[in-house]
């Protein structure tokens, strides 16, 4: 097996998290605490444990809170500010890192809790382009993934767009080769509505038409995104069973 070691991580954390609001003291979602530390700190510790050496975090909303948190605490972390976080989607945030990313990397969202095994599995797959997919969660606001022979075909929050057929749910953890990243940025550069594009439903799905992007299905993976009160209640139950 020709396994390329991934040493770079990138976390998207620019969003405002308005659906959580006072439940998170109007802070960015990544700064939500379920355990002793914020969920983004716990994610960083998992990345470091897995061998990641450099972590870029794309911030936006209340960027200064991330500066306060990471000042001297995590020398491996570099903060990159998306000043247009109010009017831009995730592909725009990802584009902010293009001058920093020089090699294959692990891409994560900031509003996640997940068991370490998910990282372990994706990093130890030989496929250079890979998205992590779970079984059905009934979490609400799911991004459904359709694949063929474990290759990504499409993703959408609307099952009708997938003809009701899907393989699992997108977790928000992906392994991205530098070549795939360049293709994603080409889509971004050539778009007339670049601020509206998402990295997953727009860029990854479009790239999958000519680059193989594998889907790693972990049917029983423990994880949750946290966008609203219902997500938070579910995440707190799952958190008790996480093996970090």
């Amino acid at each position: 097996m020709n396994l390329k070691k991934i040493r770079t991580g990138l976390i998207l954390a620019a969003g405002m998290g308005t659906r959580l609001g006072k439940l998170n003291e109007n802070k960015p979602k990544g700064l939500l605490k379920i355990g002793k530390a914020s969920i983004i700190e716990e994610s960083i510790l998992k990345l470091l444990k897995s061998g990641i050496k450099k972590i870029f975090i794309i911030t936006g909303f209340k960027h200064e809170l991330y500066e306060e948190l990471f000042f001297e605490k995590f020398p491996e972390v570099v903060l990159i500010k998306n000043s247009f976080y109010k009017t831009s989607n995730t592909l725009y945030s990802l584009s902010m890192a293009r001058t920093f990313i020089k090699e294959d990397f692990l891409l994560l969202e900031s509003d996640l809790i997940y068991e370490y095994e998910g990282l372990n599995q994706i990093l130890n797959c030989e496929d250079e382009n890979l998205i992590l997919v779970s079984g059905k969660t009934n979490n609400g606001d799911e991004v459904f993934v359709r694949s063929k022979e474990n290759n990504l075909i499409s993703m959408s929050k609307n099952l009708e767009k997938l003809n009701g057929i899907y393989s699992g749910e997108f977790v928000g953890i992906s392994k991205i080769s530098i070549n795939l990243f360049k293709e994603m940025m080409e889509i971004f550069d050539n778009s007339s509505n670049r601020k509206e594009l998402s990295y997953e439903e727009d860029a990854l799905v479009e790239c999958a038409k000519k680059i193989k992007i594998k889907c790693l299905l972990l049917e029983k993976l423990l994880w949750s995104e946290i966008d609203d009160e219902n997500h938070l209640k579910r995440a707190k139950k799952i958190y008790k069973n996480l093996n970090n």
Side-chain angles (χ1 to χ4, degrees), residues 8 48 51 60 63-64 74 93 111 115 122 124 129 134 137 140 148 166 169 172 195 217 231:
T8 299
L48 296 175
H63 169 83
E64 67 278 3
F74 290 108
S93 282
D111 60 344
E115 56 183 323
I122 198 169
N124 283 288
N129 297 306
S134 77
T137 64
K148 183 178 181 181
Y166 70 102
E169 297 178 14
K195 281 190 175 181
L217 175 60
H231 286 177

Side-chain angles (χ1 to χ4, degrees), residues 59-72:
T59 66
F61 177 61
K62 294 191 175 180
H63 169 83
E64 67 278 3
L65 295 182
Y66 281 109
E67 286 185 317
E68 293 170 9
L69 177 64
F70 293 121
F71 181 68
E72 293 186 348

Side-chain angles (χ1 to χ4, degrees), residues 160-196:
E160 291 184 4
K161 291 184 178 180
L162 306 181
N163 297 319
I165 302 170
Y166 70 102
S167 311
E169 297 178 14
F170 182 65
V171 174
I173 302 176
S174 308
K175 186 162 63 171
I176 309 291
S177 70
I178 191 63
N179 289 331
L180 174 57
F181 183 54
K182 289 177 181 177
E183 290 289 338
M184 295 170 76
M185 290 299 96
E186 186 172 332
I187 290 170
F188 175 80
D189 290 336
N190 293 332
S191 174
S192 59
N193 60 335
R194 60 182 62 173
K195 281 190 175 181
E196 299 175 16

Side-chain angles (χ1 to χ4, degrees), residues 11-25:
I11 302 176
L12 298 174
M16 298 174 67
T18 52
R19 284 185 283 173
L20 277 175
K22 292 182 179 179
L23 293 172
N24 191 31
E25 301 175 335

